[in-house]
Amino acid sequence: MIYSRNRRLRVNASIRSLVSENTLSTNDFVMPIFVMEGQNKQEPIDSMPGIFRRSIDLTVIECKELFSLGVKAVNLYMKVSDTLKDNTGKEAWNKNGLTQNAIRAIKDAIPEMILMPDVALDPYSIYGHDGIIENGKIVNDATNDALARMSVSLAEAGADIMAPSDMMDGRVLVIREALEESGFTDVGILSYSAKYASSFYGPFRHALDSAPVDHENIPEDKKTYQMDFHNSREALNEVYKDVEEGADIIMIKPGLPYLDIVAKVREAIDLPIAVYHVSGEYAMLKAAAQNGWLDNDKAILESLTCFKRAGADMIFTYAAKEAAILLNK
Ligand code: PBG
């Protein structure tokens, strides 16, 4: 005789919803957005169907739409012209730079929108690296000083939370100190603590034209700073250091192939955890859906819910807008 039947709690949608352990909501989403120079301009990103680069005016309209759908945070990325790039990334702290202007414009239009600009030098680097290069190496401490200058400049423009994605050692502390010294005690740090050197960033680098350049004496990949995907204990090491240095939120990236890391970090710390459903994951899903091999809407809601099940509090995803529309139905 079988008395214990797990299927009893699955017989209809009502009972399934009563015993449901995790819920996905628009409160969980952070939408990454790509900004470019110009007026009334919008360019599709081929490798990321449904995603665009937009000039600031159209970005503001998009942000208003996102906010009204319940998406209350955006992560900002800039496509700057090649003429503004150099080895120091100094355009990143230009008071009137594209990022600073975008932050001011969005804040002005939607003060409650949480703005989390990316803090890294790659979109501003002629070499496409997240750090300054000397003698063929990415130098750690000089890069940290640049990231601190960049952070203060972004905070001055009105950003709420710095999102350093560079993976230099000790940068959370250097950024925290610079923010405190400049009076930005309420500006937070969401640290990409466990960011792996991943092939899943391909479509993003295409979107920003930010891939490491093929150049003599320039590292061809980011493996000397981003983590090795063979490792998981090392992720905890990275996370503990960033917590100690004053991070407010911890990020794990990429997402779906790294849910073991999300679950492990969830066990280890009590700070909020963010996870990044990266460009390559989004592109794979869209490619399959466009071929009719996957149900787009179901696959998106399932993928995003799996992040919650693994223990994430917030999800950076290019599918945030369409998922919000689905959840609001
Ligand atoms: C760069 C940065 C990258 C992403 C976010 N910030 C790419 C990289 O490290 O080369 C990837 C995001 C994505 O693939 O969606 N600092």
Side-chain angles (χ1 to χ4, degrees):
M1 219 23 141
I2 319 173
Y3 294 110
S4 164
R5 294 179 188 272
N6 291 332
R7 292 181 56 194
R8 267 181 215 127
L9 300 181
R10 296 179 202 137
V11 290
N12 58 40
S14 303
I15 188 71
R16 288 196 294 273
S17 72
L18 273 176
V19 300
S20 165
E21 297 177 34
N22 292 289
T23 310
L24 185 67
S25 112
T26 55
N27 294 335
D28 305 321
F29 299 154
V30 179
M31 178 75 174
I33 50 177
F34 299 111
V35 184
M36 64 178 190
E37 293 287 354
Q39 268 280 318
N40 196 27
K41 272 203 185 150
Q42 160 163 314
E43 289 171 5
I45 297 165
D46 299 341
S47 52
M48 301 172 71
I51 303 299
F52 297 84
R53 277 183 294 260
R54 295 187 175 89
S55 51
I56 292 178
D57 51 338
L58 297 189
T59 299
V60 169
I61 295 173
E62 179 68 9
C63 287
K64 282 186 183 159
E65 217 177 305
L66 285 166
F67 198 82
S68 71
L69 287 165
V71 179
K72 295 180 282 286
V74 290
N75 178 215
L76 301 162
Y77 293 97
M78 303 297 135
K79 172 136 176 22
V80 297
S81 90
D82 284 348
T83 55
L84 296 174
K85 298 184 184 185
D86 63 13
N87 184 29
T88 67
K90 67 178 183 310
E91 178 60 17
W93 55 90
N94 173 358
K95 268 186 186 345
N96 294 309
L98 184 59
T99 325
Q100 288 77 358
N101 289 339
I103 290 170
R104 276 188 291 266
I106 304 169
K107 260 292 158 196
D108 206 35
I110 326 152
E112 299 105 295
M113 183 69 118
I114 301 293
L115 304 185
M116 302 184 181
D118 187 61
V119 176
L121 299 183
D122 53 329
Y124 308 95
S125 156
I126 25 166
Y127 302 125
H129 274 288
D130 292 34
I132 296 166
I133 298 192
E134 277 169 25
N135 303 322
K137 290 203 168 113
I138 286 91
V139 288
N140 196 88
D141 298 7
T143 298
N144 283 348
D145 292 340
L147 297 173
R149 287 181 82 164
M150 178 179 187
S151 297
V152 170
S153 167
L154 300 174
E156 280 168 353
D160 301 278
I161 296 183
M162 297 303 141
S165 67
D166 56 286
M167 289 297 281
M168 296 303 119
D169 287 324
R171 93 282 208 211
V172 172
L173 182 62
V174 176
I175 292 172
R176 186 69 266 158
E177 283 176 348
L179 290 172
E180 296 290 320
E181 277 163 21
S182 308
F184 294 111
T185 49
D186 287 342
V187 170
I189 301 178
L190 178 151
S191 175
Y192 287 62
S193 302
K195 175 171 177 179
Y196 287 83
S198 169
S199 53
F200 290 101
Y201 307 148
F204 171 96
R205 291 179 188 170
H206 168 79
L208 290 188
D209 192 18
S210 65
V213 296
D214 187 7
H215 195 283
E216 199 191 340
N217 210 21
I218 298 298
E220 63 184 19
D221 57 40
K222 300 190 176 183
K223 289 182 182 168
T224 68
Y225 44 109
Q226 298 180 348
M227 282 180 58
D228 180 346
F229 59 75
H230 298 86
N231 299 347
S232 71
R233 291 195 308 270
E234 189 187 0
L236 288 181
N237 229 343
E238 288 281 359
V239 167
Y240 291 141
K241 289 217 173 75
D242 286 355
V243 173
E244 237 177 74
E245 289 179 26
D248 301 285
I249 302 171
I250 295 299
M251 162 81 91
I252 291 131
K253 175 182 180 184
L256 292 177
Y258 294 76
L259 289 185
D260 58 321
I261 309 297
V262 176
K264 205 173 173 134
V265 173
R266 175 74 295 160
E267 291 285 309
I269 63 160
D270 292 321
L271 283 185
I273 293 177
V275 64
Y276 205 133
H277 183 224
V278 302
S279 58
E281 302 174 57
Y282 175 83
M284 288 195 302
L285 204 145
K286 286 290 165 189
Q290 282 181 346
N291 275 296
W293 298 335
L294 268 183
D295 179 317
N296 180 74
D297 298 355
K298 287 183 179 157
I300 284 174
L301 293 180
E302 178 180 338
S303 300
L304 300 183
T305 305
C306 291
F307 288 121
K308 298 295 300 287
R309 196 192 60 222
D313 298 291
M314 69 193 85
I315 308 162
F316 285 51
T317 177
Y318 301 98
K321 189 178 180 185
E322 55 179 319
I325 293 169
L326 292 170
L327 291 172
N328 288 333
K329 262 190 193 160

Coordinates of all heavy atoms in Angstrom, one line a residue, residues 32 34 48 75 77 118-123 128-130 163-167 192 195-205 208 210-212 222 225-226 253-254 276-282 316 318, ligand 1:
P32 N 19.5 45.5 -17.7 CA 20.7 46.2 -18.2 C 20.4 46.9 -19.5 O 19.6 46.4 -20.3 CB 21.7 45.0 -18.6 CG 21.0 43.7 -18.0 CD 19.5 44.1 -17.9
F34 N 21.7 49.6 -22.7 CA 22.9 50.1 -23.5 C 22.6 51.5 -24.0 O 21.6 51.7 -24.7 CB 23.2 49.2 -24.7 CG 23.5 47.8 -24.3 CD1 22.6 46.7 -24.5 CD2 24.7 47.5 -23.6 CE1 23.0 45.4 -24.2 CE2 25.0 46.2 -23.2 CZ 24.2 45.2 -23.5
M48 N 21.4 40.0 -29.9 CA 20.5 40.0 -28.7 C 19.1 40.5 -29.2 O 18.8 41.6 -28.9 CB 21.1 40.9 -27.6 CG 22.4 40.4 -27.1 SD 23.2 41.6 -26.0 CE 22.2 41.4 -24.5
N75 N 20.7 48.8 -14.9 CA 22.2 48.7 -14.9 C 22.7 49.3 -16.2 O 22.2 48.9 -17.3 CB 22.5 47.2 -14.8 CG 23.9 46.8 -14.9 OD1 24.3 45.7 -15.4 ND2 24.8 47.6 -14.2
Y77 N 25.1 50.7 -19.3 CA 26.3 50.4 -20.1 C 26.4 51.4 -21.2 O 25.4 51.7 -21.9 CB 26.3 49.0 -20.7 CG 26.4 47.9 -19.6 CD1 25.3 47.3 -19.1 CD2 27.7 47.6 -19.1 CE1 25.4 46.4 -18.1 CE2 27.7 46.7 -18.1 CZ 26.6 46.0 -17.6 OH 26.7 45.1 -16.6
D118 N 27.5 50.4 -14.5 CA 28.7 49.5 -14.5 C 29.9 50.3 -14.2 O 30.1 51.4 -14.7 CB 28.8 48.8 -15.9 CG 29.8 47.7 -16.0 OD1 29.7 46.7 -15.2 OD2 30.8 47.9 -16.7
V119 N 30.7 49.7 -13.3 CA 32.0 50.4 -13.0 C 33.1 49.5 -13.5 O 33.4 48.4 -12.9 CB 32.2 50.7 -11.5 CG1 33.5 51.3 -11.2 CG2 31.1 51.6 -11.0
A120 N 33.7 49.8 -14.6 CA 34.8 49.1 -15.2 C 35.3 49.9 -16.4 O 34.6 50.7 -16.9 CB 34.3 47.7 -15.7
L121 N 36.6 49.7 -16.8 CA 37.2 50.5 -17.8 C 37.0 50.0 -19.2 O 37.2 50.8 -20.2 CB 38.6 50.7 -17.5 CG 39.0 51.4 -16.1 CD1 40.5 51.5 -16.0 CD2 38.3 52.7 -15.9
D122 N 36.5 48.8 -19.4 CA 36.5 48.2 -20.7 C 35.8 49.0 -21.8 O 36.4 49.2 -22.9 CB 36.1 46.8 -20.8 CG 34.8 46.5 -20.1 OD1 34.4 47.2 -19.1 OD2 34.1 45.6 -20.5
P123 N 34.7 49.7 -21.6 CA 34.1 50.4 -22.7 C 34.9 51.6 -23.1 O 34.7 52.2 -24.1 CB 32.7 50.9 -22.2 CG 32.5 50.1 -21.0 CD 33.8 49.7 -20.4
G128 N 40.2 47.2 -24.7 CA 39.0 46.4 -24.4 C 39.2 45.6 -23.1 O 38.6 44.6 -22.9
H129 N 40.1 46.1 -22.2 CA 40.3 45.4 -20.9 C 39.7 46.2 -19.8 O 39.5 47.4 -19.9 CB 41.8 45.2 -20.7 CG 42.2 43.9 -21.3 ND1 41.9 42.6 -20.8 CD2 43.0 43.6 -22.4 CE1 42.4 41.7 -21.6 NE2 43.0 42.2 -22.5
D130 N 39.4 45.5 -18.7 CA 38.8 46.2 -17.6 C 39.8 47.0 -16.7 O 39.4 47.5 -15.7 CB 38.1 45.2 -16.7 CG 36.9 44.6 -17.4 OD1 37.0 44.4 -18.6 OD2 35.9 44.3 -16.7
A163 N 28.3 49.4 -9.5 CA 28.3 48.0 -9.8 C 29.7 47.7 -10.5 O 29.8 47.5 -11.7 CB 27.2 47.6 -10.7
P164 N 30.7 47.5 -9.6 CA 32.0 47.2 -10.2 C 32.1 45.8 -10.7 O 31.9 44.8 -10.0 CB 33.0 47.4 -9.0 CG 32.2 47.3 -7.8 CD 30.8 47.7 -8.2
S165 N 32.4 45.7 -12.0 CA 32.4 44.3 -12.7 C 33.8 44.0 -13.2 O 33.9 43.1 -14.0 CB 31.4 44.4 -13.9 OG 31.9 45.3 -14.9
D166 N 34.8 44.7 -12.6 CA 36.2 44.5 -13.2 C 37.0 43.4 -12.7 O 37.9 42.9 -13.3 CB 36.9 45.8 -12.9 CG 36.8 46.0 -11.4 OD1 35.8 46.4 -10.8 OD2 37.8 45.8 -10.7
M167 N 36.7 42.9 -11.4 CA 37.5 41.8 -10.8 C 38.9 42.2 -10.4 O 39.7 41.3 -10.2 CB 37.4 40.6 -11.6 CG 36.1 39.9 -11.6 SD 35.5 39.3 -10.0 CE 36.4 37.8 -9.8
Y192 N 30.5 42.7 -8.2 CA 30.6 41.4 -9.0 C 31.7 40.6 -8.3 O 32.9 40.8 -8.7 CB 31.0 41.7 -10.4 CG 29.9 42.3 -11.3 CD1 29.4 43.5 -11.0 CD2 29.5 41.6 -12.5 CE1 28.4 44.1 -11.9 CE2 28.5 42.2 -13.3 CZ 28.0 43.4 -13.0 OH 27.1 44.0 -13.8
K195 N 32.9 36.7 -10.6 CA 32.7 36.8 -12.0 C 33.7 36.0 -12.8 O 34.9 36.1 -12.6 CB 32.8 38.3 -12.4 CG 32.7 38.5 -13.9 CD 32.6 40.0 -14.3 CE 32.6 40.2 -15.8 NZ 32.5 41.6 -16.2
Y196 N 33.1 35.1 -13.5 CA 34.0 34.1 -14.2 C 34.4 34.6 -15.6 O 33.6 35.3 -16.3 CB 33.2 32.8 -14.3 CG 33.1 32.0 -13.0 CD1 32.2 32.3 -12.1 CD2 34.1 31.0 -12.7 CE1 32.1 31.7 -10.9 CE2 34.0 30.4 -11.5 CZ 33.0 30.7 -10.6 OH 32.9 30.0 -9.4
A197 N 35.6 34.2 -16.1 CA 36.0 34.4 -17.4 C 35.2 33.5 -18.3 O 35.4 32.3 -18.4 CB 37.5 34.1 -17.6
S198 N 34.2 34.0 -19.0 CA 33.2 33.2 -19.6 C 33.0 33.5 -21.1 O 33.0 34.7 -21.5 CB 31.8 33.4 -18.9 OG 30.8 32.8 -19.6
S199 N 32.7 32.5 -21.9 CA 32.5 32.7 -23.3 C 31.0 33.2 -23.5 O 30.7 33.6 -24.6 CB 32.7 31.4 -24.1 OG 31.9 30.4 -23.5
F200 N 30.2 33.2 -22.4 CA 28.8 33.6 -22.5 C 28.7 35.2 -22.6 O 27.6 35.7 -22.7 CB 28.0 33.1 -21.4 CG 27.8 31.6 -21.5 CD1 28.5 30.7 -20.7 CD2 26.8 31.1 -22.4 CE1 28.3 29.3 -20.8 CE2 26.6 29.7 -22.5 CZ 27.4 28.8 -21.7
Y201 N 29.8 35.9 -22.5 CA 29.7 37.4 -22.6 C 29.9 37.9 -24.1 O 29.8 39.1 -24.3 CB 30.9 38.1 -21.8 CG 31.0 37.7 -20.4 CD1 32.2 37.7 -19.7 CD2 29.8 37.3 -19.6 CE1 32.3 37.3 -18.4 CE2 30.0 36.9 -18.3 CZ 31.2 36.9 -17.7 OH 31.3 36.5 -16.4
G202 N 30.0 36.9 -25.0 CA 30.2 37.3 -26.4 C 29.3 38.3 -27.0 O 29.7 39.4 -27.5
P203 N 27.9 38.1 -26.9 CA 27.0 39.1 -27.5 C 27.1 40.5 -26.9 O 27.0 41.5 -27.5 CB 25.6 38.5 -27.2 CG 25.9 37.0 -27.0 CD 27.2 36.9 -26.4
F204 N 27.4 40.5 -25.6 CA 27.6 41.8 -24.9 C 28.7 42.6 -25.4 O 28.7 43.8 -25.7 CB 27.8 41.6 -23.4 CG 28.1 42.8 -22.6 CD1 27.2 43.5 -21.9 CD2 29.5 43.2 -22.5 CE1 27.5 44.6 -21.1 CE2 29.8 44.3 -21.7 CZ 28.8 45.0 -21.0
R205 N 29.9 41.9 -25.6 CA 31.1 42.6 -26.1 C 30.8 43.1 -27.6 O 31.3 44.1 -28.0 CB 32.3 41.7 -26.1 CG 32.7 41.4 -24.6 CD 33.8 40.5 -24.5 NE 34.1 40.0 -23.1 CZ 34.9 39.1 -22.8 NH1 35.6 38.4 -23.7 NH2 35.1 38.8 -21.5
L208 N 28.8 46.4 -27.3 CA 29.5 47.6 -26.9 C 30.8 47.8 -27.7 O 31.6 48.7 -27.4 CB 29.9 47.5 -25.4 CG 28.7 47.7 -24.4 CD1 29.2 47.8 -23.0 CD2 27.8 48.9 -24.8
S210 N 33.5 46.0 -27.2 CA 34.4 46.1 -26.1 C 35.2 44.9 -25.9 O 35.8 44.7 -24.8 CB 33.6 46.4 -24.8 OG 32.8 45.3 -24.5
A211 N 35.3 44.0 -26.9 CA 36.1 42.8 -26.7 C 37.6 43.1 -26.7 O 38.0 44.1 -27.3 CB 35.9 41.8 -27.9
P212 N 38.4 42.4 -25.9 CA 39.9 42.6 -25.9 C 40.4 42.6 -27.3 O 40.0 41.7 -28.1 CB 40.4 41.4 -25.1 CG 39.3 41.0 -24.2 CD 38.0 41.2 -25.0
K222 N 40.5 37.6 -20.5 CA 40.4 38.3 -19.2 C 40.7 37.3 -18.1 O 40.4 37.6 -16.9 CB 39.0 38.9 -19.0 CG 38.7 40.0 -20.1 CD 37.4 40.8 -19.8 CE 37.2 41.9 -20.8 NZ 36.0 42.7 -20.5
Y225 N 42.2 38.2 -14.5 CA 41.4 38.8 -13.4 C 40.1 38.2 -13.2 O 39.6 38.0 -12.1 CB 41.3 40.3 -13.6 CG 41.0 40.9 -15.0 CD1 39.8 41.5 -15.3 CD2 42.0 40.9 -16.0 CE1 39.5 42.0 -16.5 CE2 41.8 41.4 -17.2 CZ 40.5 42.0 -17.5 OH 40.3 42.5 -18.7
Q226 N 39.4 37.7 -14.2 CA 38.1 37.0 -14.0 C 38.4 35.6 -13.6 O 39.5 35.0 -13.9 CB 37.2 37.1 -15.3 CG 36.9 38.5 -15.7 CD 36.1 38.7 -16.9 OE1 35.9 37.7 -17.7 NE2 35.6 39.8 -17.2
K253 N 28.1 35.7 -11.5 CA 28.0 35.9 -13.0 C 28.9 35.0 -13.7 O 30.1 34.9 -13.3 CB 28.3 37.4 -13.3 CG 28.3 37.7 -14.7 CD 28.7 39.2 -14.9 CE 28.7 39.5 -16.3 NZ 29.2 40.9 -16.5
P254 N 28.5 34.3 -14.8 CA 27.1 34.2 -15.4 C 26.1 33.6 -14.4 O 26.4 33.4 -13.3 CB 27.3 33.4 -16.6 CG 28.8 33.4 -17.0 CD 29.5 33.6 -15.6
Y276 N 23.6 37.3 -12.6 CA 23.5 37.9 -13.9 C 23.2 36.9 -15.0 O 24.0 36.0 -15.2 CB 24.8 38.6 -14.2 CG 24.7 39.8 -15.2 CD1 25.3 41.0 -15.0 CD2 24.0 39.6 -16.4 CE1 25.2 42.1 -15.9 CE2 23.9 40.7 -17.3 CZ 24.5 41.9 -17.1 OH 24.4 42.9 -18.0
H277 N 22.0 37.0 -15.5 CA 21.6 36.1 -16.6 C 22.2 36.8 -17.9 O 21.6 37.8 -18.4 CB 20.0 36.2 -16.7 CG 19.4 35.3 -17.7 ND1 18.3 35.8 -18.4 CD2 19.5 34.1 -18.1 CE1 17.9 34.9 -19.2 NE2 18.6 33.8 -19.0
V278 N 23.4 36.4 -18.3 CA 24.2 37.2 -19.2 C 23.7 37.1 -20.7 O 22.9 36.3 -21.0 CB 25.7 36.9 -19.1 CG1 26.2 37.1 -17.7 CG2 26.0 35.5 -19.6
S279 N 24.4 37.9 -21.5 CA 24.0 38.1 -22.9 C 24.0 36.8 -23.6 O 23.1 36.5 -24.4 CB 25.0 39.1 -23.6 OG 26.3 38.6 -23.5
G280 N 25.0 35.9 -23.4 CA 25.0 34.6 -24.2 C 23.9 33.7 -23.8 O 23.3 32.9 -24.6
E281 N 23.5 33.7 -22.5 CA 22.3 32.9 -22.1 C 21.1 33.4 -22.7 O 20.2 32.6 -23.1 CB 22.2 33.0 -20.5 CG 23.5 32.6 -19.8 CD 23.3 32.8 -18.3 OE1 22.3 32.3 -17.7 OE2 24.1 33.6 -17.7
Y282 N 20.9 34.7 -22.8 CA 19.8 35.4 -23.4 C 19.7 35.0 -24.9 O 18.7 34.6 -25.4 CB 19.8 36.9 -23.2 CG 18.8 37.7 -23.9 CD1 17.5 37.8 -23.3 CD2 19.0 38.3 -25.1 CE1 16.5 38.6 -23.9 CE2 18.0 39.0 -25.7 CZ 16.8 39.2 -25.1 OH 15.8 39.9 -25.7
F316 N 19.7 40.2 -12.8 CA 20.0 41.1 -13.9 C 19.7 40.3 -15.1 O 20.3 39.3 -15.4 CB 21.5 41.5 -13.9 CG 21.9 42.5 -12.9 CD1 21.6 42.3 -11.5 CD2 22.7 43.6 -13.3 CE1 22.0 43.3 -10.6 CE2 23.1 44.5 -12.3 CZ 22.8 44.4 -11.0
Y318 N 18.3 40.6 -19.4 CA 17.8 41.3 -20.6 C 16.4 41.0 -20.9 O 15.7 41.6 -21.7 CB 18.7 41.0 -21.8 CG 20.1 41.3 -21.6 CD1 21.1 40.4 -21.2 CD2 20.6 42.6 -21.7 CE1 22.4 40.7 -20.9 CE2 21.9 43.0 -21.4 CZ 22.8 42.0 -21.0 OH 24.1 42.3 -20.7
Ligands
PBG1 C1 32.6 44.3 -18.5 C2 31.3 43.6 -18.4 C3 31.0 42.5 -19.2 C4 29.7 42.2 -18.9 C5 29.2 43.1 -18.0 N1 30.2 44.0 -17.6 C6 31.8 41.8 -20.1 C7 33.1 41.3 -19.8 O1 33.5 41.1 -18.7 O2 33.9 41.2 -20.8 C8 28.9 41.0 -19.5 C9 27.5 41.1 -19.5 C10 26.8 40.1 -20.4 O3 27.4 39.3 -21.1 O4 25.6 40.2 -20.5 N2 33.1 44.9 -17.4

